[in-house]
Amino acid sequence: MSASTTEEKNERMQRLAAVRPRLVSFARLQLRDLAQAEDAVQEALIAAMEKNDSFQGRSGYETWVFGILKYKILDSLRAQRRQGSWQPWEDEPDEDAIDRQFKQNGRWEEAARPSSWGDPEAAFVSEHFWRVFDMCMLALPDNTARIFSLRELMGLSTEDICRETGIKENNCWVILHRARLRLRACIERGWLSESS
């Protein structure tokens, strides 16, 4: 093995080690079981190492690895359902919190009106933004975070989410709405206030 090949392999290992904690957090959120999450992440990391030559740089390396993990998580979720170990998701009764953000005519209450985020593209390359986002995701109730992750981070359609989780479509949309409102409020407190 040449010196450059060894260096490249070490660099790949370091990149994967750096992203591993986020992968485990994400998998644990979806699978609700640390051992299964660790297994899914391990399989994703092995696949990333084996398929490293197929990484073409069209997305970020971390995004590419998360994409591999997505399929490992879906396989684990399906296995949970087959084995009868799937944990149903309970509904969250916080309609009042959502209703308080809007006037009777459906417009935003002034205090609840979204803040300007400035240049969204700049936010997405900010490491601080992603740390705040991760903390805000952890602050969401498990049910809400899981549905949001399936939709927005894993890219599943609402129909697929309902099929995988056993919830009704209108419930899915309500949960997604709640997640977006909570994430927006959390990010505005933790990132926009510090960056302005």
Side-chain angles (χ1 to χ4, degrees):
M1 187 180 287
S2 70
S4 63
T5 307
T6 303
E7 286 177 27
E8 289 171 3
K9 184 176 180 181
N10 288 338
E11 183 180 323
R12 284 194 308 261
M13 295 295 284
Q14 289 173 348
R15 290 172 85 178
L16 292 173
V19 74
R20 190 177 191 290
R22 290 189 69 209
L23 294 171
V24 172
S25 294
F26 182 70
R28 186 173 184 190
L29 175 68
Q30 296 301 320
L31 299 172
R32 294 186 177 185
D33 179 90
L34 181 57
Q36 287 184 358
E38 292 277 358
D39 288 347
V41 168
Q42 192 64 29
E43 290 177 22
L45 293 175
I46 290 169
M49 288 296 293
E50 291 172 350
K51 297 178 182 181
N52 192 66
D53 292 340
S54 68
F55 175 66
Q56 298 174 352
R58 284 182 269 182
S59 63
Y61 189 74
E62 187 172 314
T63 303
W64 179 71
V65 177
F66 265 92
I68 295 170
L69 178 61
K70 166 186 164 179
Y71 293 103
K72 303 301 181 185
I73 289 172
L74 288 174
D75 289 344
S76 294
L77 289 172
R78 291 180 183 122
Q80 282 181 355
R81 287 188 73 103
R82 281 193 306 273
Q83 297 163 358
S85 61
W86 172 258
Q87 298 175 29
W89 299 352
E90 61 284 336
D91 202 12
E92 295 172 56
D94 70 349
E95 296 294 327
D96 293 340
I98 292 173
D99 291 340
R100 284 192 300 273
Q101 297 192 19
F102 299 96
K103 298 177 183 176
Q104 288 290 0
N105 65 4
R107 296 189 185 271
W108 288 101
E109 287 288 348
E110 284 307 311
R113 182 178 299 278
S115 300
S116 171
W117 285 39
D119 179 11
E121 296 297 323
F124 291 135
V125 296
S126 166
E127 211 170 298
H128 177 63
F129 172 84
W130 289 111
R131 279 195 304 271
V132 170
F133 179 83
D134 288 344
M135 295 308 295
C136 290
M137 282 295 292
L138 291 173
L140 288 176
D142 284 351
N143 175 22
T144 304
R146 289 177 78 193
I147 295 289
F148 180 84
S149 295
L150 288 170
R151 174 72 176 158
E152 302 300 340
L153 303 177
M154 293 179 64
L156 269 62
S157 69
T158 306
E159 182 181 321
D160 289 339
I161 293 169
C162 293
R163 185 174 44 253
E164 293 297 327
T165 63
I167 63 174
K168 295 190 181 333
E169 186 174 2
N170 61 341
N171 190 19
C172 182
W173 287 114
V174 168
I175 292 169
L176 287 169
H177 181 68
R178 289 175 183 164
R180 290 177 182 123
L181 289 175
R182 287 180 178 191
L183 283 171
R184 188 199 84 215
C186 180
I187 290 169
E188 286 177 355
R189 281 192 310 271
W191 182 70
L192 291 179
S193 61
E194 291 179 23
S195 62
S196 51

